[in-house]
Amino acid sequence: MRIVFMGPPGAGKGTQAALLSSALGIPHISTGDIFRANVTQGTPLGKEAQSYMDAGEYVPDGITNAMVRDRLTHDDARPGFILDGYPRTVEQVAELDAMLRSAGTKIDCVIELTVDVDAVVARLVRRSAEQGRTDDTEDVLRRRLEVYAEQTAPLIELYQSRNLLVQVDGLGEIEAVTAAILLAVNS
Ligand code: ADP
């Protein structure tokens, strides 16, 4: 199974992708997590990414695409994967298409977790307090939601036109959302 998770910041992609990863036995690949790990470790990649992340902007496609391209060649990703937070731009979609084409594989399903904006803001403000993420302050959060609407929302239609899109309401209890996702993935 090759699955892409989409949804605005705060929709619960990370939580659900991790649960689905355990349920299906395929790796959860979160570009945000990989960037944060690099920032924490002070790697060159982390140093490049940090200023964009702290401003709520996307890391440039060239950097992000190269990172994903490398990650998808690891052995654990051969039977399948869950991509969380990638692709987020039209250019990233083209790049992912090219990576999969050369591997002779394809995406099976794109899950969009839908939520309303007020609920998302409330969730992220709480998460910011709990985890101390430097990109969860209110201004940066607003910018992240804007960037999502501008650059990533159009991908929903693109995947819909390929008949890959499944929309799941992200606002229920965690277990109920997971159950709805599993139902969608298995059908
Ligand atoms: P969220 O979904 O809440 O925005 P993530 O952890 O997925 O959080 O991403 C955090 C930050 O990492 C993003 O705001 C962006 O700066 C960077 N990032 C993650 N994925 C991508 C991507 N596919 N393209 C560009 N930047 C990305």
Side-chain angles (χ1 to χ4, degrees), residues 9 139-152:
D139 282 355
V140 177
L141 167 56
R142 259 183 233 293
R143 181 62 195 146
R144 276 162 56 218
L145 287 166
E146 251 172 50
V147 172
Y148 181 85
E150 283 164 13
Q151 302 213 39
T152 305

Side-chain angles (χ1 to χ4, degrees), residues 44-61:
L45 175 65
K47 288 192 177 111
E48 267 196 283
Q50 183 161 29
S51 58
Y52 298 101
M53 295 172 74
D54 284 348
E57 304 294 336
Y58 286 167
V59 177
D61 285 335

Side-chain angles (χ1 to χ4, degrees), residues 7-11 13-14 30-33 35-36 49-50 52-61 64-65 67-68 84-89 92 124 127 133 135-136 140-141 144 148:
K13 294 186 298 292
S30 158
T31 43
D33 285 352
F35 282 133
R36 275 186 293 279
Q50 183 161 29
Y52 298 101
M53 295 172 74
D54 284 348
E57 304 294 336
Y58 286 167
V59 177
D61 285 335
T64 309
N65 287 333
M67 184 178 85
V68 172
D84 162 12
Y86 183 93
R88 289 198 205 209
T89 66
Q92 290 178 15
L124 288 183
R127 181 171 81 182
R133 262 178 66 160
D135 62 350
D136 272 349
V140 177
L141 167 56
R144 276 162 56 218
Y148 181 85

Side-chain angles (χ1 to χ4, degrees), residues 107-110 156-166:
I107 294 299
D108 296 298
C109 171
V110 176
I156 305 276
E157 276 169 43
L158 194 153
Y159 281 122
Q160 195 152 34
S161 73
R162 296 185 187 180
N163 285 322
L164 291 176
L165 188 73
V166 179

